[in-house]
Amino acid sequence: MSFPIVRHRRLRQNAGIRSMVRETVLQPEDLVQPIFVAFGSGIKSEISSMPGVYHFSLDTLKEEVDEIVDLGIPAVLLFGIPETKDSVGSSGFAEDGIVQEATRLIKSWYPDLLVIADTCLCEFTDHGHCGMVHTFERDGHVCGDVLNDQSLELLARTAVSQAKAGADIIAPSNMMDGFVQAIRSGLDEAGFEHVPIMSYSVKYASAFYGPFREAADSAPQFGDRKTYQMDPANVREALREAESDVLEGADMLMVKPAMAYLDVVRLLRDQFDLPIVAYNVSGEYSMIKAAAQQGWINEQAIVLELLTAMKRAGADIIITYFSKDAVRWMSK
């Protein structure tokens, strides 16, 4: 063969060289473990559509948190399943709400573990939408409009109550227009100007959320969320959404889901000088779990490849139900 010969394989010939030249490295510090906390006692129940993920009551929560801390995962994202629901989601901003109580417990056990509080109303409203709703009947069917501006005050109250309970980061996921500014103002006025906002800036109206809606008991009772979550076909719109959140004071920008939207993760990484978060959502998790249980795929290899791809695309932080398993596999 004539010179020059470019031999790319020289840098792939053994594990030591491959490790030395690896461009993207996944590590435990990149990960956030979601936790579902439910009202009641003695609860540790596996979510049927999410094998390996559980509902915990406050009295069974510590074992899960101990494991997360022992593995070196730096943060948890809390979702709450309350005792009661109403039209305005009042249990979401109650002082003794399930997320607030869980936050206090976790911070008393492990002050250095970061608690991220999901700030939305869908788990706490009896209609399952992410804000206040005006309902009406049409042709014998219940319909409704989600009231954007009226919802902002309730979302800000929820964020402030979570910060008072000790949440380190507020993560609003509701996709109301102006939600970051409303929450930032509410936090600042309450003396929590130091608490950052991890905004669900680009949240698509995705089919990948199905298992989560079982886990959080948050499926809408009528209609859908397409009037406030983004159309999966749109990408330029993601820039407008993210830019609004930056101008309103967001500290971190999230793309949700992650797997089918890595182009959007890269777009935000290239356009904004803020930490980028990717949420590896429930449907992505459940598909891999189901295929692995059938013996069709190597779960460990698939998960580590997928999470590495999210980081390679530009994610600084990855929220994933695989966090605990991923850390164990990294150490092998």
Side-chain angles (χ1 to χ4, degrees):
M1 298 177 67
S2 61
F3 182 83
I5 300 170
V6 179
R7 295 193 181 273
H8 300 289
R9 291 179 56 191
R10 291 190 188 112
L11 299 183
R12 303 174 192 154
Q13 62 185 296
N14 60 55
I17 292 177
R18 290 193 298 271
S19 178
M20 180 182 291
V21 301
R22 186 162 294 135
E23 300 172 23
T24 304
V25 178
L26 185 69
Q27 53 192 355
E29 291 79 8
D30 301 325
L31 305 178
V32 176
Q33 176 68 49
I35 301 178
F36 295 97
V37 187
F39 182 86
S41 61
I43 298 170
K44 182 184 176 182
S45 58
E46 189 171 38
I47 297 162
S48 62
S49 59
M50 300 177 69
V53 179
Y54 294 81
H55 289 125
F56 296 94
S57 52
L58 296 177
D59 58 336
T60 65
L61 180 60
K62 190 168 187 300
E63 181 180 352
E64 174 74 356
V65 179
D66 287 345
E67 184 179 10
I68 290 166
V69 171
D70 289 344
L71 288 167
I73 297 168
V76 296
L77 173 61
L78 292 185
F79 297 99
I81 296 88
E83 180 182 21
T84 60
K85 303 187 180 193
D86 58 30
S87 62
V88 297
S90 59
S91 55
F93 48 82
E95 183 177 347
D96 60 351
I98 187 65
V99 170
Q100 289 80 357
E101 295 286 9
T103 299
R104 292 188 189 96
L105 274 178
I106 293 171
K107 296 304 289 186
S108 71
W109 299 329
Y110 296 106
D112 293 332
L113 179 65
L114 294 176
V115 173
I116 306 170
D118 179 80
T119 305
C120 196
L121 299 176
C122 62
E123 298 133 80
F124 307 99
T125 55
D126 52 15
H127 48 71
H129 281 283
C130 301
M132 291 180 63
V133 170
H134 166 65
T135 57
F136 54 92
E137 282 198 13
R138 178 181 293 155
D139 299 328
H141 299 286
V142 177
C143 303
D145 294 322
V146 178
L147 305 174
N148 190 97
D149 294 3
Q150 294 89 328
S151 301
L152 297 180
E153 179 184 353
L154 299 181
L155 293 164
R157 287 180 65 183
T158 302
V160 170
S161 73
Q162 293 167 338
K164 284 181 178 178
D168 298 285
I169 298 171
I170 298 300
S173 59
N174 53 88
M175 289 295 285
M176 297 294 109
D177 290 332
F179 70 99
V180 172
Q181 182 178 18
I183 288 171
R184 183 73 273 159
S185 296
L187 290 171
D188 291 355
E189 290 170 8
F192 296 105
E193 63 279 351
H194 61 285
V195 175
I197 295 175
M198 176 189 285
S199 174
Y200 286 64
S201 296
V202 183
K203 183 178 181 181
Y204 285 91
S206 172
F208 284 100
Y209 301 149
F212 176 90
R213 290 179 180 169
E214 176 200 343
D217 188 24
S218 63
Q221 297 305 298
F222 56 85
D224 54 40
R225 296 180 176 143
K226 293 180 180 180
T227 65
Y228 46 102
Q229 294 177 0
M230 277 184 55
D231 185 339
N234 292 355
V235 64
R236 295 191 302 273
E237 183 183 2
L239 285 176
R240 299 198 297 273
E241 286 280 1
E243 184 177 19
S244 294
D245 289 359
V246 171
L247 293 174
E248 292 175 22
D251 300 283
M252 298 175 245
L253 305 175
M254 186 190 301
V255 176
K256 180 182 181 184
M259 190 166 75
Y261 298 89
L262 292 183
D263 60 322
V264 184
V265 173
R266 171 48 59 186
L267 181 67
L268 264 61
R269 172 72 289 146
D270 290 342
Q271 293 292 323
F272 300 102
D273 189 20
L274 286 177
I276 303 300
V277 185
Y279 196 146
N280 179 210
V281 300
S282 61
E284 298 167 347
Y285 173 89
S286 296
M287 288 192 304
I288 292 172
K289 280 289 184 184
Q293 289 178 347
Q294 292 294 320
W296 295 338
I297 60 171
N298 179 327
E299 181 181 1
Q300 175 178 334
I302 287 282
V303 169
L304 292 180
E305 182 177 342
L306 178 62
L307 298 181
T308 300
M310 293 174 192
K311 190 169 183 186
R312 189 186 68 241
D316 302 288
I317 301 161
I318 301 170
I319 301 168
T320 177
Y321 304 96
F322 286 114
S323 289
K324 292 188 298 179
D325 284 338
V327 172
R328 294 188 188 98
W329 294 329
M330 287 179 213
S331 63
K332 289 184 178 180

